[in-house]
Amino acid sequence: MITVLRLGHRKDRDKRASMHVALVARALGADGIVFCGEKDDALLERVNAVSKKWGGKFRATFSASYRTTIKKFPGTKVHLTMYGKPVQGAAPALAGKKLLVVVGSEKVPRDVYALCDCNVAVTNQPHSEIAALALFLREVLGKKAFEKKFPGAQVTILPSEKGKNVKKYK
Ligand code: SAM
């Protein structure tokens, strides 16, 4: 079971990036996302509307305290940061564990580095929380990251080489 924690969401500035963090988390096998920072009900609704239409149990929630969320999480807490240990070495020990995967937006508070069990880097170069999360999930879940099932969908895509083939259930 994998939960993503998105730190420091800013309603205006991070509107799209936070949505994309959630979409990537859901599509590549996480079970839910917790947003910290500015409370943004519209964002939670958009994410949960995607789950309603496209299926699965992925849910977005808000937490007023990243500290409490990290401290109380009953599993392994992983902070994605360019300062961490390379993901290719860290991932095997994390496979199959209950994970909280923490990603930042603006400057990440210093205590996050110590609150988490490990700091993991997807290369030691600066880039994006969206890309870092996608690649982390792929490393930890392997091909399962591409094979998540989404029961209860209102629509599903029937993969086709050409064109769009969509099945509607309701
Ligand atoms: N400027 C911010 C700071 O001082 O921490 C980081 C901004 S960065 C765009 C936002 C987030 O992307 C980071 O908090 C981290 O979670 C993720 N990220 C960026 N580069 C990364 C890397 N090489 N490995 C893992 N995560 C990374």
Side-chain angles (χ1 to χ4, degrees):
M1 192 215 153
I2 299 180
T3 304
V4 173
L5 171 59
R6 162 66 151 168
L7 298 170
H9 169 72
R10 296 157 293 184
K11 246 177 160 175
D12 289 331
R13 209 171 146 191
D14 295 323
K15 202 153 110 179
R16 282 173 59 78
S18 289
M19 185 69 194
H20 285 199
V21 170
L23 290 173
V24 161
R26 177 182 170 274
L28 298 187
D31 301 281
I33 187 165
V34 180
F35 289 102
C36 284
E38 290 178 18
K39 190 161 190 291
D40 188 345
D41 290 332
L43 173 65
L44 301 185
E45 276 167 30
R46 285 201 304 279
V47 175
N48 292 330
V50 169
S51 289
K52 191 171 175 205
K53 180 174 178 183
W54 293 94
K57 293 200 164 124
F58 188 91
R59 289 291 174 270
T61 55
F62 172 77
S63 164
S65 166
Y66 70 83
R67 269 188 207 107
T68 307
T69 301
I70 297 174
K71 280 183 186 165
K72 288 199 168 166
F73 186 79
T76 305
K77 286 96 76 158
V78 182
H79 173 218
L80 297 186
T81 166
M82 64 179 174
Y83 303 102
K85 293 276 207 175
V87 68
Q88 58 274 35
L94 299 172
K97 288 194 172 160
K98 187 176 171 108
L99 299 179
L100 181 71
V101 186
V102 182
V103 296
S105 53
E106 53 184 345
K107 193 165 171 56
V108 173
R110 192 83 196 156
D111 62 350
V112 170
Y113 290 80
L115 283 170
C116 290
D117 299 301
C118 53
N119 293 289
V120 171
V122 180
T123 80
N124 293 109
Q125 301 298 320
H127 55 89
S128 133
E129 57 273 40
I130 301 161
L133 178 62
L135 290 164
F136 174 81
L137 291 172
R138 174 66 172 95
E139 283 294 307
V140 169
L141 296 174
K143 283 188 188 164
K144 281 191 208 154
F146 303 138
E147 292 161 359
K148 176 101 175 167
K149 300 277 182 276
F150 297 92
Q154 295 171 350
V155 290
T156 54
I157 290 168
L158 304 174
S160 63
E161 231 172 308
K162 289 185 177 175
K164 296 182 185 177
N165 202 351
V166 177
K167 184 166 180 177
K168 293 185 182 168
Y169 295 94
K170 291 169 200 164

